[in-house]
Amino acid sequence: MFYRENGQFKTTYRADLQIFPILQDRIAIGLILAAAFVLVPMLSSEYMLKAILIPFLILALAAIGVNILVGYCGQISLGSGAFMSVGAYAAYNVYVRLPGVPLVLTLLLGGFFAALVGILFGIPSLRVRGLYLAVATLAAQFVCDWAFLRIGWFTNNSTSGSVSVSNLQMFGLTIETPLQKYLFCLTFLVVFALLAKNLVRSAVGREWMAIRDMDVAAAVIGIRPMYAKLSAFAVSSFVIGVAGALWGFVNLGSWEPAAFSVDRSFQLLFMVIIGGMGSIMGSFLGAAFIVVLPIVLNLALPLIGQLVGVEISTAGIEHTQVMIFGALIVWFLIVEPHGLAKLWSMAKQKLRTWPFPH
């Protein structure tokens, strides 16, 4: 009764093409955006902004990029961490070698160079698929790690591969405090999420999904697999590269290649699998699960230990947190393999028919 599109007639072509065609969705998105831009900054401490919300926003953006490639086009990639590092180091080189370039353009150029690298390592997708493609993209991780550690030009001749940026400004305004960084990252995330949501509904997005479902049948009906796969790699790597640039510039400030290790690639892939493949909202839910749950466990475990009269050491909390986190991932994938987005879809379906389910 509360979530029903009955009676919402679309009288124009423009109305039929809206990203959120149902009124309840538009209201919900508006409320969420208002809360994110107004309510969260008012209620959040600097610690929460810096330790939880900023990493969540950037990783959610990277998860959207991974979801475009893995969820919508069906191409498994383990090179996401490498594409993030390319975005971060490319943006750094633009920042130090081309002074005066606006910060937003610097970050976008980082994504552009990550897209070029993504296309290069996406070429094997034209011949192999599945686990073989995953291994092929994993090579990007090792190549980028080696390049940023051994080729001094990428790091402005830093022997350790460590680089740093400071005094970030946009339109004359400094981006230094956690609140300013949060709003900066939130703006990026909202813009890219809306663009991605619109893109996957377009002809390009339908080509990606046709390739994902059956590439042979897609080729028979006139879809070019090479164009579809490489465009998915390009768009995905661009978004991931921008996220990597944000991770280095805004979240870390100074970083080295280890900040974008293969663990980061697996983390992003887990976000997509847990959140829901082929769903933009799933990227947000998966990022929240991966980022927030360890922090909740870290806070809850000492309290549980006090309730049962057991004192848990710091190392014990850390080990228990890892074990519970891994067990929850396995349990969740068994119970709901389609991810958190599927649960949200089922909830909306029940709201459509409530209180008369039949």
Side-chain angles (χ1 to χ4, degrees), residues 109-190:
L109 285 174
F112 170 75
F113 287 106
L116 295 181
V117 175
I119 293 174
L120 177 64
F121 284 96
I123 291 176
S125 68
L126 305 179
R127 299 301 298 269
V128 297
R129 66 178 70 177
L131 292 176
Y132 296 97
L133 178 60
V135 174
T137 55
L138 186 61
Q141 190 71 51
F142 302 124
V143 171
C144 291
D145 284 350
W146 176 86
F148 295 133
L149 282 173
R150 302 298 180 188
I151 302 177
W153 187 86
F154 289 126
T155 58
N156 203 17
N157 297 317
S158 170
T159 54
S160 63
S162 177
V163 298
S164 63
V165 295
S166 61
N167 193 26
L168 299 180
Q169 292 185 356
M170 186 180 70
F171 305 127
L173 302 175
T174 59
I175 304 174
E176 293 181 350
T177 66
L179 177 58
Q180 292 169 335
K181 293 179 178 178
Y182 165 79
L183 293 174
F184 185 70
C185 294
L186 179 61
T187 304
F188 259 89
L189 179 61
V190 170

Side-chain angles (χ1 to χ4, degrees), residues 227-247:
Y227 171 79
K229 291 180 178 179
L230 292 186
S231 63
F233 266 98
V235 174
S236 168
S237 303
F238 177 78
V239 178
I240 295 172
V242 172
L246 282 172
W247 189 263

Side-chain angles (χ1 to χ4, degrees), residues 59-118:
L59 292 178
L61 178 60
I64 290 175
V66 177
N67 215 335
I68 287 174
L69 182 64
V70 179
Y72 285 97
C73 197
Q75 309 300 307
I76 299 177
S77 171
L78 291 178
S80 306
F83 302 145
M84 285 185 75
S85 67
V86 171
Y89 279 99
Y92 169 76
N93 276 278
V94 173
Y95 182 77
V96 298
R97 300 181 192 283
L98 300 174
V101 176
L103 178 61
V104 174
L105 182 58
T106 300
L107 301 177
L108 294 179
L109 285 174
F112 170 75
F113 287 106
L116 295 181
V117 175

Side-chain angles (χ1 to χ4, degrees), residues 64 115 187 192 216 310 340:
I64 290 175
T187 304
F192 273 83
V216 175
V310 177
L340 293 167

